[in-house]
Amino acid sequence: MEEKTKKNTVLIIEDELDLRGLLKTKLISEHFEVLEADNGKIGLDISLSSHPDIILLDIVMPVMDGLAMLKELRQDEWGKTAKVIVLSNLNEAEKVSESLEKNIYNYLIKSDWEPNNIVSLIKKSLGIQ
Amino acid sequence: MYYNVSNMGLSNIVIIFIITLSGSANLFLAVYAYAKNPKERINRDFFYFGLLVSLWCFTNVIDLIIRNLFWLRATVAIGFFIPLGGIFFAHALVGKTMNKLIKILLIVLGIIVFLTNLFTPLLIESLISFTDFGFEVVFGPLLGIWSALEISFILASFYIPLSFIRTTDEQQKRRIFFFLVGAAIFAIWFLVVSVALPILGYSQFSELDSPASIFLVGFTGYSIIKYNLMNISSLFFIAITYSAVIISIVAFLLLLLFISSFFFSHLMVWPIYALVMLVSLVLFFIGRLFFMEKKDLEQAKISLTEFLKKSESDRVRAEAERDKTAAIVSSFSDGLILLDYKDNIFSINPAAEELLGLKEKEFIGKPLKSIIPSVKITKARAIMSVFGDGLKAIYRQPVKLADNLITEISVIMLTSAGKDMGHLIILHDITREKMVEKMKTDFVSLAAHQLRTPLSIIKWSISMLTKGDFGKLNKKQDEVVRNTFQSNERLISLVNNLLNVTRMEDGRYLYKRAKADMREIISAVLNTNKDEFEKRGIIIEYKRPVDFPEIMIDSEKIKIVIQNLVDNATKYSPRARKIKINLQKEDNGIRFEIRDFGVGIPEQQQGKIFQKFFRADNAVTMNTIGTGLGLFLSKNIIEAHGGSIGFKSEENKGTAFYFSLPIK
């Protein structure tokens, strides 16, 4: 019972509503608690206030993009070690290496991944499976 | 009257022949010179002179045949006109006009002497007998005067050209010289046999004078051919002259044969003969020395002048060439730095000055490295990166000189006939092209990103539908949705390839090599395509090797290659059920091969298979989705890894693609 109450929280920072909705549906069905943000700025605020277990981060977003958000996050004491999976449709090698340098858990190309695989990866990263 | 043709000896016939030949040659030369250029005074006067000589020769011939006092007198009488004509011609030869009064006086004198000789016994009183080469006569009281006139006229005719020779130009001197030599031999001969000897009482061989006119013709002909005397030289003339000379020599040798018997019986003639020859030779060599020494000097002078003229014109031409080259170099839109064979700066054109921000004049003759302290640090660093270890031939190497300045640098070795002439450095500004290229790439990236987002939504939606996240689908629904998913996958793959090609061409396709296990990559690709294989009923025959070396590769890129090859093998095996994959270790590398038993590649199209956007006819007609980018991309990736890719294919039998990669 205790495990049930201690649900893992996933923050989805994604401006594309459809993608966010699909992921949310999938994660909820997999018993995750889901937080949402539609740009980097909101995402950063939620991250720092709610300390989610893992952050799924898009890169190309209005207001504040994913890389800027990541940079800010790493300034924070908690944020330094926060688990981040970048989920983007950019696979520019430079962008990849730029975010890899910021110590992210993984960098996924959205169109190469299916939601169930993403969930598997999240579980793996959280040590659930 | 001694009219004795029947008793004519062979020697007479020979001498008649020679005189006829000599007269004809003189006549020919005279007429030829006149016909060639009748307006020229020298030609005209030569014509008269030659006519006179030939007339004399022919009279002599008649005299030798008829042999009577009249023709003997006629011959001697006409003979007097020759030195007279010589004076006239001598003037023409040096281009001097004669005093009219003297002219008339000479003509009158000539006519008087001629008439006196012909019709009075004052010179030749009576004829005693004819000899083989002359006659025995009783001379009249005029012999002394006649001889004096004859000698003075001959001397005068030589004095005139010799006294004027200093004022004429060298070319003319040379022309005259040979004519004078011929004339001198003729004159000396004449003076000896027809003047000196008769005075001494030997007139037996005075008929030998006219054959000597052949010398006149010979030397004049030589001068015409060699120095274009009278401007009448031509091939025809050369041919005629040479043949005449050859005939004359032969005839003269024959004559000498006959004369020799005569000479043996008249021993005292020998020294005279020798003297004539000696004087002629001395005259010839003195004259030659006089003319030729000058000639050599003059020749040297002329050569030098011509050389100077030529080098001057060469210089002018070279300067014009240089100016033209300089104009091209300076107006060239590319920056050009020309280095000499020591690799010192020879020239920097304005475009290069502008690109590097320096002035040509400060660096002429200095080594290339001397420009380093004068250019901005970024430019200096860029230049050093290219030329740091000395110059070597490079072709269009992109170098970023500044933030907004990218050039392609080429270094060309300049050689001429295998000799090192230096280097040419070309700086081609490609900033604008790079900018446009970047815009294009950015656009494609953005477009691809924008395409991927809806594709991702479709993919995720369908994936969740098939996984039952939105409730269980019935069999038909499931099938439709799965097909949709596969089509969507193809679209994603197309977009991925398009993006990869764009980046690769942009030079942003970075290869991050790390140790990787090929077996893992292959398994991952096969795993991804599992559904597709199942759907098409394809069986993969692949024996995963145990113990396989790790190799230094960019796994992601190699994965793209294998994915493309697997994808092709699957797509183009509509009926076949088997795909064989083989991975093996080779010397210093690995080899991957994938073999299908599908449609194959038509033979005539095999050469184009790695070209961008190329798709074989049978592939197009199969209605499969493809961009013609997969193999182009694969080849580039493999080659960037230092490997090689190839294939073997037979239409309707199948295709085997293979690539090798080095371990390091």
Side-chain angles (χ1 to χ4, degrees):
Chain A
M1 280 304 279
E2 218 176 74
E3 274 184 24
K4 261 193 177 175
T5 52
K6 245 188 108 188
K7 272 186 179 173
N8 285 301
T9 314
V10 180
L11 169 60
I12 309 172
I13 309 174
E14 167 66 68
D15 62 328
E16 198 64 49
L17 187 66
D18 292 331
L19 287 172
R20 207 169 70 219
L22 287 166
L23 260 185
K24 186 182 171 185
T25 308
K26 189 74 187 176
L27 285 165
I28 287 171
S29 76
E30 296 282 338
H31 315 293
F32 285 95
E33 194 169 313
V34 178
L35 298 172
E36 295 173 76
D38 66 0
N39 68 50
K41 181 90 182 71
I42 297 166
L44 183 67
D45 292 345
I46 295 173
S47 302
L48 298 179
S49 59
S50 310
H51 292 187
D53 294 301
I54 191 159
I55 301 165
L56 299 183
L57 179 64
D58 187 20
I59 289 183
V60 183
M61 284 181 296
V63 188
M64 181 189 267
D65 73 18
L67 292 174
M69 183 267 165
L70 195 58
K71 202 176 164 189
E72 291 282 313
L73 182 71
R74 296 304 188 208
Q75 307 291 319
D76 182 74
E77 193 57 34
W78 170 85
K80 248 180 221 168
T81 54
K83 274 202 176 74
V84 176
I85 291 178
V86 173
L87 197 54
S88 170
N89 263 334
L90 283 183
N91 63 346
E92 303 284 310
E94 297 94 324
K95 298 276 187 206
V96 177
S97 58
E98 214 177 306
S99 45
L100 282 175
E101 274 161 21
K102 295 195 173 66
N103 200 19
I104 58 162
Y105 182 77
N106 216 327
Y107 188 109
L108 310 180
I109 303 296
K110 285 178 208 168
S111 62
D112 289 350
W113 289 74
E114 290 173 47
N116 58 323
N117 303 121
I118 298 170
V119 170
S120 305
L121 193 76
I122 292 169
K123 284 180 176 171
K124 196 178 161 194
S125 75
L126 295 173
I128 296 169
Q129 280 180 334
Chain B
M1 289 285 160
Y2 295 79
Y3 187 47
N4 195 6
V5 179
S6 58
N7 287 343
M8 204 183 275
L10 195 58
S11 55
N12 285 77
I13 292 168
V14 171
I15 200 168
I16 286 167
F17 172 70
I18 291 174
I19 298 170
T20 310
L21 183 75
S22 182
S24 307
N26 269 294
L27 187 65
F28 165 75
L29 200 57
V31 173
Y32 187 78
Y34 183 75
K36 267 275 181 180
N37 198 355
K39 283 179 186 160
E40 195 70 40
R41 182 185 161 202
I42 187 167
N43 293 45
R44 226 167 39 230
D45 283 21
F46 182 77
F47 170 65
Y48 298 137
F49 184 65
L51 218 57
L52 208 59
V53 175
S54 62
L55 180 68
W56 179 57
C57 288
F58 294 132
T59 316
N60 215 336
V61 169
I62 295 167
D63 174 38
L64 278 165
I65 295 169
I66 295 175
R67 314 223 88 167
N68 65 17
L69 185 62
F70 175 78
W71 284 105
L72 177 64
R73 280 178 174 165
T75 310
V76 176
I78 292 168
F80 182 73
F81 278 113
I82 292 172
L84 206 62
I87 293 174
F88 283 83
F89 183 63
H91 281 85
L93 205 58
V94 294
K96 198 183 172 244
T97 44
M98 263 178 100
N99 189 312
K100 245 187 186 160
L101 190 68
I102 296 172
K103 223 177 187 174
I104 292 163
L105 271 175
L106 282 175
I107 291 168
V108 171
L109 183 68
I111 290 167
I112 292 167
V113 173
F114 172 75
L115 292 174
T116 315
N117 277 349
L118 192 59
F119 299 111
T120 69
L122 291 171
L123 181 66
I124 298 167
E125 202 178 283
S126 60
L127 180 68
I128 299 163
S129 70
F130 281 103
T131 62
D132 272 0
F133 307 111
F135 40 79
E136 278 184 73
V137 290
V138 176
F139 284 105
L142 274 184
L143 178 68
I145 299 167
W146 176 83
S147 301
L149 280 174
E150 194 88 54
I151 291 165
S152 50
F153 282 176
I154 287 172
L155 289 178
S157 64
F158 278 94
Y159 171 77
I160 292 156
L162 287 172
S163 64
F164 277 91
I165 210 132
R166 286 176 192 286
T167 58
T168 52
D169 69 78
E170 291 302 320
Q171 187 70 14
Q172 188 65 11
K173 264 184 202 171
R174 259 171 269 138
R175 289 170 177 169
I176 293 169
F177 171 70
F178 285 98
F179 173 77
L180 289 182
V181 168
I185 294 172
F186 174 41
I188 292 164
W189 190 290
F190 176 82
L191 285 174
V192 170
V193 296
S194 296
V195 181
L197 290 179
I199 289 171
L200 293 170
Y202 295 92
S203 55
Q204 295 97 319
F205 24 85
S206 56
E207 299 287 11
L208 286 174
D209 53 3
S210 50
S213 68
I214 197 82
F215 286 106
L216 185 69
V217 186
F219 280 92
T220 310
Y222 179 77
S223 186
I224 288 167
I225 293 166
K226 185 94 191 271
Y227 299 110
N228 203 15
L229 178 72
M230 293 184 282
N231 291 317
I232 57 169
S233 185
S234 71
L235 269 178
F236 167 71
F237 180 79
I238 292 166
I240 289 283
T241 308
Y242 282 137
S243 359
V245 167
I246 290 164
I247 295 168
S248 308
I249 290 168
V250 172
F252 229 84
L253 288 173
L254 267 172
L255 182 66
L256 277 176
L257 210 67
F258 291 107
I259 293 172
S260 58
S261 61
F262 170 81
F263 279 171
F264 279 120
S265 54
H266 296 78
L267 285 177
M268 66 86 52
V269 181
W270 272 99
I272 297 166
Y273 178 73
L275 191 73
V276 172
M277 284 297 146
L278 195 72
V279 171
S280 300
L281 274 173
V282 168
L283 203 76
F284 179 80
F285 282 108
I286 289 173
R288 196 182 150 76
L289 212 67
F290 175 69
F291 283 95
M292 297 306 153
E293 227 179 32
K294 285 215 160 177
K295 183 194 152 191
D296 288 348
L297 265 177
E298 192 56 33
Q299 194 65 51
K301 201 177 109 192
I302 290 167
S303 305
L304 191 67
T305 317
E306 276 170 7
F307 172 75
L308 288 175
K309 269 187 204 158
K310 193 178 177 309
S311 52
E312 173 65 13
S313 69
D314 280 353
R315 190 183 62 81
V316 170
R317 203 180 310 130
E319 268 177 13
E321 279 300 318
R322 193 200 59 196
D323 290 349
K324 203 159 70 182
T325 311
I328 292 168
V329 167
S330 64
S331 55
F332 216 70
S333 61
D334 281 353
L336 301 174
I337 302 172
L338 198 56
L339 304 171
D340 64 16
Y341 70 102
K342 284 180 185 163
D343 280 342
N344 288 332
I345 294 169
F346 182 74
S347 89
I348 299 175
N349 79 341
E353 285 184 335
E354 172 99 25
L355 283 171
L356 296 172
L358 44 80
K359 283 276 156 218
E360 179 190 41
K361 59 175 187 283
E362 293 166 30
F363 299 100
I364 295 292
K366 291 181 184 167
L368 182 63
K369 278 183 183 171
S370 69
I371 67 171
I372 297 296
S374 305
V375 297
K376 280 189 181 153
I377 186 76
T378 51
K379 290 181 182 177
R381 205 180 293 142
I383 292 164
M384 285 306 287
S385 73
V386 182
F387 309 124
D389 332 315
L391 283 169
K392 46 187 179 286
I394 55 171
Y395 180 67
R396 301 181 73 169
Q397 184 172 317
V399 174
K400 192 173 177 179
L401 288 181
D403 277 344
N404 54 355
L405 181 59
I406 304 162
T407 56
E408 269 178 358
I409 298 185
S410 301
V411 177
I412 297 163
M413 312 262 274
L414 302 174
T415 51
S416 175
K419 221 176 104 188
D420 189 7
M421 302 282 285
H423 286 90
L424 174 66
I425 299 170
I426 304 169
L427 305 163
H428 177 56
D429 188 348
I430 52 162
T431 313
R432 208 186 124 73
E433 284 100 312
K434 282 283 168 197
M435 210 174 71
V436 171
E437 220 169 85
K438 191 176 168 349
M439 280 163 69
K440 189 190 84 183
T441 312
D442 286 352
F443 171 77
V444 174
S445 295
L446 194 70
H449 179 255
Q450 299 294 13
L451 273 172
R452 271 173 165 180
T453 303
L455 288 172
S456 304
I457 294 169
I458 296 167
K459 179 169 176 156
W460 290 11
S461 305
I462 298 173
S463 170
M464 284 169 71
L465 269 175
T466 56
K467 298 283 186 296
D469 285 300
F470 307 113
K472 198 168 163 46
L473 303 177
N474 67 32
K475 203 182 169 193
K476 187 67 198 168
Q477 286 168 337
D478 187 63
E479 192 189 322
V480 170
V481 169
R482 277 181 193 276
N483 284 342
T484 314
F485 185 84
Q486 284 308 326
S487 293
N488 191 53
E489 281 297 279
R490 297 224 168 278
L491 255 167
I492 290 168
S493 149
L494 287 184
V495 170
N496 285 348
N497 273 345
L498 202 63
L499 257 177
N500 286 333
V501 167
T502 312
R503 274 205 303 274
M504 192 178 63
E505 290 188 328
D506 194 29
R508 288 197 288 167
Y509 206 52
L510 304 180
Y511 290 91
K512 294 205 163 177
R513 293 198 199 184
K515 275 195 171 178
D517 189 341
M518 277 292 287
R519 295 174 300 184
E520 291 300 319
I521 298 169
I522 294 168
S523 297
V525 172
L526 294 180
N527 203 37
T528 313
N529 291 274
K530 209 166 59 191
D531 288 352
E532 184 71 13
F533 297 146
E534 265 173 33
K535 195 186 115 191
R536 289 175 180 260
I538 282 169
I539 299 155
I540 303 290
E541 221 179 83
Y542 167 55
K543 210 172 149 191
R544 187 184 154 115
V546 277
D547 246 14
F548 202 75
E550 287 194 318
I551 56 173
M552 288 295 287
I553 49 169
D554 183 332
S555 311
E556 282 306 309
K557 305 299 183 298
I558 296 297
K559 201 173 183 175
I560 289 169
V561 176
I562 295 172
Q563 174 61 52
N564 271 316
L565 297 180
V566 168
D567 202 30
N568 282 345
T570 315
K571 258 193 309 200
Y572 302 121
S573 298
R575 287 173 301 275
R577 292 284 175 265
K578 195 160 71 177
I579 292 174
K580 283 184 177 175
I581 292 173
N582 185 42
L583 178 68
Q584 66 187 64
K585 196 186 165 299
E586 279 188 329
D587 298 341
N588 305 318
I590 62 102
R591 187 176 192 274
F592 172 88
E593 185 181 291
I594 178 164
R595 176 184 294 271
D596 68 54
F597 300 89
V599 294
I601 304 160
E603 200 183 336
Q604 68 274 18
Q605 297 187 333
Q606 290 188 359
K608 295 183 187 167
I609 207 74
F610 288 113
Q611 284 178 14
K612 188 163 69 170
F613 298 120
F614 178 79
R615 296 191 72 211
D617 291 343
N618 55 353
V620 176
T621 52
M622 274 175 73
N623 251 339
T624 52
I625 299 172
T627 47
L629 290 172
L631 288 173
F632 169 73
L633 194 64
S634 301
K635 186 173 160 65
N636 274 280
I637 292 169
I638 295 298
E639 286 175 356
H641 278 84
S644 61
I645 188 167
F647 67 96
K648 275 187 198 134
S649 185
E650 204 176 323
E651 207 171 351
N652 297 322
K653 288 202 172 164
T655 307
F657 270 96
Y658 45 82
F659 65 79
S660 316
L661 289 171
I663 284 180
K664 278 185 179 175

mmCIF file of all heavy atoms in Angstrom, chain B residues 18 127 148 172 177 179 203 240 243 300 316 323 333 339 381 430 432 448-449 493 535 538 557 582 601 620:
data_model
loop_
_atom_site.group_PDB
_atom_site.id
_atom_site.type_symbol
_atom_site.label_atom_id
_atom_site.label_comp_id
_atom_site.label_asym_id
_atom_site.label_seq_id
_atom_site.Cartn_x
_atom_site.Cartn_y
_atom_site.Cartn_z
ATOM 1 N N ILE B 18 83.053 27.243 -126.100
ATOM 2 C CA ILE B 18 83.141 28.012 -124.856
ATOM 3 C C ILE B 18 82.748 29.477 -125.078
ATOM 4 O O ILE B 18 81.993 30.049 -124.307
ATOM 5 C CB ILE B 18 84.562 27.925 -124.254
ATOM 6 C CG1 ILE B 18 84.801 26.491 -123.749
ATOM 7 C CG2 ILE B 18 84.717 28.900 -123.081
ATOM 8 C CD1 ILE B 18 86.203 26.250 -123.263
ATOM 9 N N LEU B 127 97.296 40.756 -141.999
ATOM 10 C CA LEU B 127 97.196 39.451 -141.346
ATOM 11 C C LEU B 127 98.270 38.537 -141.917
ATOM 12 O O LEU B 127 98.449 38.437 -143.131
ATOM 13 C CB LEU B 127 95.815 38.866 -141.632
ATOM 14 C CG LEU B 127 95.484 37.518 -141.049
ATOM 15 C CD1 LEU B 127 95.372 37.564 -139.533
ATOM 16 C CD2 LEU B 127 94.193 37.032 -141.672
ATOM 17 N N ALA B 148 97.003 51.956 -124.756
ATOM 18 C CA ALA B 148 96.930 52.905 -123.646
ATOM 19 C C ALA B 148 95.482 53.199 -123.301
ATOM 20 O O ALA B 148 95.084 53.214 -122.119
ATOM 21 C CB ALA B 148 97.660 54.190 -124.022
ATOM 22 N N GLN B 172 75.448 46.396 -100.458
ATOM 23 C CA GLN B 172 75.800 46.760 -101.829
ATOM 24 C C GLN B 172 77.270 46.420 -102.116
ATOM 25 O O GLN B 172 77.611 45.912 -103.173
ATOM 26 C CB GLN B 172 75.526 48.269 -102.030
ATOM 27 C CG GLN B 172 75.675 48.750 -103.461
ATOM 28 C CD GLN B 172 74.647 48.121 -104.403
ATOM 29 O OE1 GLN B 172 73.702 47.490 -103.970
ATOM 30 N NE2 GLN B 172 74.851 48.266 -105.693
ATOM 31 N N PHE B 177 81.334 43.371 -104.904
ATOM 32 C CA PHE B 177 82.609 42.682 -104.787
ATOM 33 C C PHE B 177 82.738 41.523 -105.761
ATOM 34 O O PHE B 177 83.698 41.417 -106.511
ATOM 35 C CB PHE B 177 82.832 42.206 -103.350
ATOM 36 C CG PHE B 177 84.035 41.310 -103.213
ATOM 37 C CD1 PHE B 177 85.316 41.844 -103.353
ATOM 38 C CD2 PHE B 177 83.913 39.964 -102.965
ATOM 39 C CE1 PHE B 177 86.419 41.034 -103.247
ATOM 40 C CE2 PHE B 177 85.013 39.147 -102.861
ATOM 41 C CZ PHE B 177 86.277 39.684 -102.994
ATOM 42 N N PHE B 179 81.001 40.832 -108.396
ATOM 43 C CA PHE B 179 80.964 41.286 -109.784
ATOM 44 C C PHE B 179 82.354 41.782 -110.199
ATOM 45 O O PHE B 179 82.863 41.446 -111.267
ATOM 46 C CB PHE B 179 79.929 42.399 -109.939
ATOM 47 C CG PHE B 179 79.949 43.024 -111.296
ATOM 48 C CD1 PHE B 179 79.372 42.374 -112.387
ATOM 49 C CD2 PHE B 179 80.581 44.242 -111.513
ATOM 50 C CE1 PHE B 179 79.417 42.938 -113.642
ATOM 51 C CE2 PHE B 179 80.629 44.802 -112.776
ATOM 52 C CZ PHE B 179 80.048 44.154 -113.847
ATOM 53 N N SER B 203 100.755 37.391 -130.450
ATOM 54 C CA SER B 203 99.310 37.527 -130.615
ATOM 55 C C SER B 203 98.669 36.190 -130.987
ATOM 56 O O SER B 203 97.516 36.124 -131.355
ATOM 57 C CB SER B 203 99.003 38.586 -131.680
ATOM 58 O OG SER B 203 99.667 38.255 -132.887
ATOM 59 N N ILE B 240 69.464 27.877 -113.710
ATOM 60 C CA ILE B 240 70.134 28.177 -114.985
ATOM 61 C C ILE B 240 71.619 28.458 -114.743
ATOM 62 O O ILE B 240 72.504 27.924 -115.412
ATOM 63 C CB ILE B 240 69.454 29.408 -115.651
ATOM 64 C CG1 ILE B 240 68.076 29.032 -116.156
ATOM 65 C CG2 ILE B 240 70.333 29.987 -116.768
ATOM 66 C CD1 ILE B 240 68.045 28.244 -117.450
ATOM 67 N N SER B 243 73.649 25.389 -113.760
ATOM 68 C CA SER B 243 73.910 24.497 -114.898
ATOM 69 C C SER B 243 74.957 25.114 -115.819
ATOM 70 O O SER B 243 75.859 24.414 -116.299
ATOM 71 C CB SER B 243 72.631 24.178 -115.685
ATOM 72 O OG SER B 243 71.535 24.788 -115.123
ATOM 73 N N ALA B 300 78.444 41.253 -87.533
ATOM 74 C CA ALA B 300 78.289 41.256 -86.085
ATOM 75 C C ALA B 300 77.434 42.430 -85.653
ATOM 76 O O ALA B 300 76.563 42.308 -84.787
ATOM 77 C CB ALA B 300 79.652 41.333 -85.412
ATOM 78 N N VAL B 316 59.025 44.383 -75.391
ATOM 79 C CA VAL B 316 57.732 45.056 -75.516
ATOM 80 C C VAL B 316 56.608 44.039 -75.416
ATOM 81 O O VAL B 316 55.626 44.234 -74.697
ATOM 82 C CB VAL B 316 57.655 45.838 -76.854
ATOM 83 C CG1 VAL B 316 56.240 46.331 -77.115
ATOM 84 C CG2 VAL B 316 58.636 47.001 -76.828
ATOM 85 N N ASP B 323 51.653 42.991 -68.527
ATOM 86 C CA ASP B 323 50.589 43.930 -68.176
ATOM 87 C C ASP B 323 49.229 43.247 -68.230
ATOM 88 O O ASP B 323 48.378 43.461 -67.374
ATOM 89 C CB ASP B 323 50.602 45.127 -69.133
ATOM 90 C CG ASP B 323 51.828 46.009 -68.891
ATOM 91 O OD1 ASP B 323 52.499 45.773 -67.850
ATOM 92 O OD2 ASP B 323 52.109 46.891 -69.715
ATOM 93 N N SER B 333 38.489 38.311 -59.011
ATOM 94 C CA SER B 333 37.674 38.478 -57.805
ATOM 95 C C SER B 333 38.179 37.596 -56.660
ATOM 96 O O SER B 333 37.929 37.878 -55.502
ATOM 97 C CB SER B 333 36.216 38.161 -58.114
ATOM 98 O OG SER B 333 36.110 36.830 -58.535
ATOM 99 N N LEU B 339 53.784 33.246 -55.302
ATOM 100 C CA LEU B 339 55.077 33.097 -54.632
ATOM 101 C C LEU B 339 56.109 32.642 -55.635
ATOM 102 O O LEU B 339 55.799 31.834 -56.518
ATOM 103 C CB LEU B 339 54.969 32.057 -53.517
ATOM 104 C CG LEU B 339 53.879 32.320 -52.473
ATOM 105 C CD1 LEU B 339 53.738 31.113 -51.570
ATOM 106 C CD2 LEU B 339 54.206 33.544 -51.641
ATOM 107 N N ARG B 381 45.833 32.779 -37.475
ATOM 108 C CA ARG B 381 45.714 31.402 -36.994
ATOM 109 C C ARG B 381 45.206 30.503 -38.120
ATOM 110 O O ARG B 381 45.700 29.410 -38.334
ATOM 111 C CB ARG B 381 44.749 31.361 -35.800
ATOM 112 C CG ARG B 381 44.997 30.189 -34.871
ATOM 113 C CD ARG B 381 44.025 30.191 -33.713
ATOM 114 N NE ARG B 381 44.225 31.316 -32.813
ATOM 115 C CZ ARG B 381 43.228 31.975 -32.216
ATOM 116 N NH1 ARG B 381 41.972 31.636 -32.453
ATOM 117 N NH2 ARG B 381 43.482 32.959 -31.380
ATOM 118 N N ILE B 430 33.882 32.306 -49.823
ATOM 119 C CA ILE B 430 32.654 31.508 -49.920
ATOM 120 C C ILE B 430 31.683 31.870 -48.803
ATOM 121 O O ILE B 430 30.761 31.125 -48.514
ATOM 122 C CB ILE B 430 32.952 29.989 -49.895
ATOM 123 C CG1 ILE B 430 33.825 29.623 -48.688
ATOM 124 C CG2 ILE B 430 33.608 29.530 -51.176
ATOM 125 C CD1 ILE B 430 33.797 28.152 -48.360
ATOM 126 N N ARG B 432 29.330 34.014 -48.638
ATOM 127 C CA ARG B 432 27.956 34.123 -49.101
ATOM 128 C C ARG B 432 27.353 32.737 -49.364
ATOM 129 O O ARG B 432 26.241 32.426 -48.921
ATOM 130 C CB ARG B 432 27.909 34.946 -50.388
ATOM 131 C CG ARG B 432 26.602 35.662 -50.572
ATOM 132 C CD ARG B 432 26.551 36.345 -51.918
ATOM 133 N NE ARG B 432 25.385 35.896 -52.670
ATOM 134 C CZ ARG B 432 24.144 36.248 -52.399
ATOM 135 N NH1 ARG B 432 23.885 37.062 -51.388
ATOM 136 N NH2 ARG B 432 23.139 35.803 -53.125
ATOM 137 N N ALA B 448 12.155 19.579 -41.313
ATOM 138 C CA ALA B 448 12.195 18.197 -40.847
ATOM 139 C C ALA B 448 11.632 18.109 -39.430
ATOM 140 O O ALA B 448 10.865 17.196 -39.110
ATOM 141 C CB ALA B 448 13.621 17.684 -40.877
ATOM 142 N N HIS B 449 12.011 19.081 -38.614
ATOM 143 C CA HIS B 449 11.515 19.106 -37.241
ATOM 144 C C HIS B 449 10.003 19.252 -37.228
ATOM 145 O O HIS B 449 9.297 18.554 -36.496
ATOM 146 C CB HIS B 449 12.181 20.260 -36.489
ATOM 147 C CG HIS B 449 11.714 20.374 -35.086
ATOM 148 N ND1 HIS B 449 10.835 21.356 -34.683
ATOM 149 C CD2 HIS B 449 11.970 19.619 -33.991
ATOM 150 C CE1 HIS B 449 10.584 21.193 -33.395
ATOM 151 N NE2 HIS B 449 11.281 20.152 -32.947
ATOM 152 N N SER B 493 11.332 7.387 -41.584
ATOM 153 C CA SER B 493 12.661 6.999 -42.077
ATOM 154 C C SER B 493 13.106 7.910 -43.229
ATOM 155 O O SER B 493 14.274 8.284 -43.336
ATOM 156 C CB SER B 493 12.609 5.526 -42.457
ATOM 157 O OG SER B 493 13.472 5.257 -43.511
ATOM 158 N N LYS B 535 5.637 -9.569 -40.694
ATOM 159 C CA LYS B 535 4.545 -9.228 -41.601
ATOM 160 C C LYS B 535 4.794 -9.778 -43.007
ATOM 161 O O LYS B 535 3.896 -10.272 -43.667
ATOM 162 C CB LYS B 535 4.405 -7.706 -41.664
ATOM 163 C CG LYS B 535 3.103 -7.240 -42.269
ATOM 164 C CD LYS B 535 3.083 -5.736 -42.425
ATOM 165 C CE LYS B 535 3.021 -5.373 -43.900
ATOM 166 N NZ LYS B 535 3.260 -3.956 -44.110
ATOM 167 N N ILE B 538 9.480 -12.859 -43.643
ATOM 168 C CA ILE B 538 10.891 -12.993 -43.989
ATOM 169 C C ILE B 538 11.669 -13.679 -42.866
ATOM 170 O O ILE B 538 11.492 -13.371 -41.688
ATOM 171 C CB ILE B 538 11.491 -11.615 -44.335
ATOM 172 C CG1 ILE B 538 11.055 -11.222 -45.759
ATOM 173 C CG2 ILE B 538 13.020 -11.619 -44.225
ATOM 174 C CD1 ILE B 538 11.352 -9.817 -46.136
ATOM 175 N N LYS B 557 25.701 6.146 -36.755
ATOM 176 C CA LYS B 557 25.765 6.260 -38.220
ATOM 177 C C LYS B 557 25.824 4.877 -38.869
ATOM 178 O O LYS B 557 25.198 4.631 -39.891
ATOM 179 C CB LYS B 557 26.989 7.088 -38.645
ATOM 180 C CG LYS B 557 27.060 8.472 -37.996
ATOM 181 C CD LYS B 557 25.862 9.318 -38.367
ATOM 182 C CE LYS B 557 25.946 10.726 -37.790
ATOM 183 N NZ LYS B 557 25.964 10.784 -36.319
ATOM 184 N N ASN B 582 25.764 -11.845 -42.833
ATOM 185 C CA ASN B 582 27.010 -12.443 -42.368
ATOM 186 C C ASN B 582 27.932 -11.365 -41.824
ATOM 187 O O ASN B 582 28.099 -10.292 -42.427
ATOM 188 C CB ASN B 582 27.687 -13.183 -43.536
ATOM 189 C CG ASN B 582 28.926 -13.913 -43.074
ATOM 190 O OD1 ASN B 582 28.905 -14.535 -42.001
ATOM 191 N ND2 ASN B 582 29.989 -13.807 -43.844
ATOM 192 N N ILE B 601 19.269 -5.605 -59.061
ATOM 193 C CA ILE B 601 19.435 -4.289 -59.685
ATOM 194 C C ILE B 601 19.754 -4.493 -61.160
ATOM 195 O O ILE B 601 20.677 -5.243 -61.482
ATOM 196 C CB ILE B 601 20.586 -3.501 -59.009
ATOM 197 C CG1 ILE B 601 20.335 -3.395 -57.502
ATOM 198 C CG2 ILE B 601 20.746 -2.118 -59.628
ATOM 199 C CD1 ILE B 601 21.589 -3.081 -56.696
ATOM 200 N N VAL B 620 11.381 1.517 -58.599
ATOM 201 C CA VAL B 620 10.347 2.550 -58.727
ATOM 202 C C VAL B 620 8.999 1.906 -59.047
ATOM 203 O O VAL B 620 7.977 2.242 -58.451
ATOM 204 C CB VAL B 620 10.748 3.573 -59.818
ATOM 205 C CG1 VAL B 620 9.628 4.591 -60.031
ATOM 206 C CG2 VAL B 620 12.036 4.287 -59.436
#
